[in-house]
Amino acid sequence: MQNKKEKSVRKKFSIFTKEKREKLEVLCSKGVPVKDIAAELGYTEVSIYRELKRGTSTGGNKTGMTKYSAKRAEENARKHSSTKGASLKIKDDYEFACFLDRMITKGYTPTEIIKYIEQKNLVFKTQISRATLYNYVEQGIITSMVKKNNENKTQNEIDEYYIRLAMDEARRAEEIDEVPVGAVAVCDGRVIATAYNTRESDKCATHHAELLAIERACRALGGWRLPGVTLYVTMEPCAMCAGAIVNARIPRVVYGVPDLRFGAFGSLINLAELPLNHKPEIKGGVLAEENRSVLSAYFKRKREKR
């Protein structure tokens, strides 16, 4: 009979699917650094350490533990998750909580987040240490705060908030000279995937922001169907992306600026009105002028370079 501690550990790491545990074992057996494993699987480093510890205590991942001893995993888990001195000052700084939520979703570790804040000279009301940040991440405090705050907002306010997150992704595309289009997938009040255009960088016709966000959302939820997901995108999806949205059974799509040339949800054609087996709810024109100005400025610079 398992003791309470083992039950607690097993329950806490139910987020690791069978496939991800198997992949974790393979990566560990090859000697891949924990930082790289965390990036590959989409978890924090401390979660990887704890899963390794759990693997030895419950009889799993024995092969993977050849490179990482249970003792080392336990020490790192204790180091990063200590609650000593942790405070909840962040609860009064919603802006900071939203920022952390975005960075964590994008795969930044607490150390990288603090480094990012220092490099960009960002100023928030709350100052936080790496150890405390690890604690917030593990307890889900940041995400629960963002979700609770959104419950008090109207749907229009929520839609504008997530479109602005998608605009952040679009700016990342612009930084690498891609058409500035970004997408964010949200499920149950939490961002589960973000993406931006990389078609030119990756030399791949299918690497639109929407398709990349859908692919990452599928990995996050462990299936090709995405019920309960809302996809936010800065520009109206084209026919290729609209088809993927229908196939993924995404129930709701919110976009910013209409695309008169290629838009497939009302501007050129409307896939949502065709007799298909799934018809997503479409909402367009959210922060349309802001998104249009970003696109216009980008194409103006491109024309001036010719």
Side-chain angles (χ1 to χ4, degrees), residues 158-168 232-234 254-256 286-287 291:
I158 293 173
D159 290 342
E160 287 185 4
Y161 169 73
Y162 288 118
I163 283 291
R164 290 194 185 282
L165 297 194
M167 291 175 67
D168 289 343
Y232 293 87
V233 58
T234 56
V254 180
Y255 68 83
V286 179
L287 301 179
N291 283 286

Side-chain angles (χ1 to χ4, degrees), residues 131-263:
T132 305
L133 184 52
Y134 266 113
N135 185 53
Y136 287 142
V137 173
E138 288 302 302
Q139 293 184 20
I141 292 172
I142 297 165
T143 299
S144 62
M145 286 173 52
V146 174
K147 182 177 179 181
K148 184 176 181 180
N149 189 283
N150 284 342
E151 289 175 354
N152 299 323
K153 293 185 176 182
T154 66
Q155 189 60 56
N156 286 338
E157 290 174 329
I158 293 173
D159 290 342
E160 287 185 4
Y161 169 73
Y162 288 118
I163 283 291
R164 290 194 185 282
L165 297 194
M167 291 175 67
D168 289 343
E169 292 300 304
R171 292 187 187 95
R172 296 181 68 186
E174 189 174 15
E175 289 173 359
I176 58 173
D177 201 27
E178 293 275 359
V179 177
V181 177
V184 170
V186 178
C187 183
D188 193 27
R190 174 163 175 74
V191 175
I192 60 171
T194 63
Y196 54 89
N197 258 349
T198 59
R199 184 172 60 174
E200 298 295 337
S201 303
D202 295 339
K203 305 292 189 295
C204 183
T206 63
H207 280 198
H208 287 198
E210 301 95 315
L211 291 186
L212 294 173
I214 290 171
E215 180 182 341
R216 293 166 187 172
C218 288
R219 288 204 300 265
L221 297 182
W224 63 268
R225 293 183 181 85
L226 299 176
V229 170
T230 298
L231 183 66
Y232 293 87
V233 58
T234 56
M235 186 167 69
E236 182 182 359
C238 66
M240 175 178 67
C241 297
I245 289 167
V246 171
N247 282 318
R249 310 296 194 269
I250 294 176
R252 187 168 184 264
V253 178
V254 180
Y255 68 83
V257 61
D259 185 353
L260 302 180
R261 294 179 61 198
F262 301 106

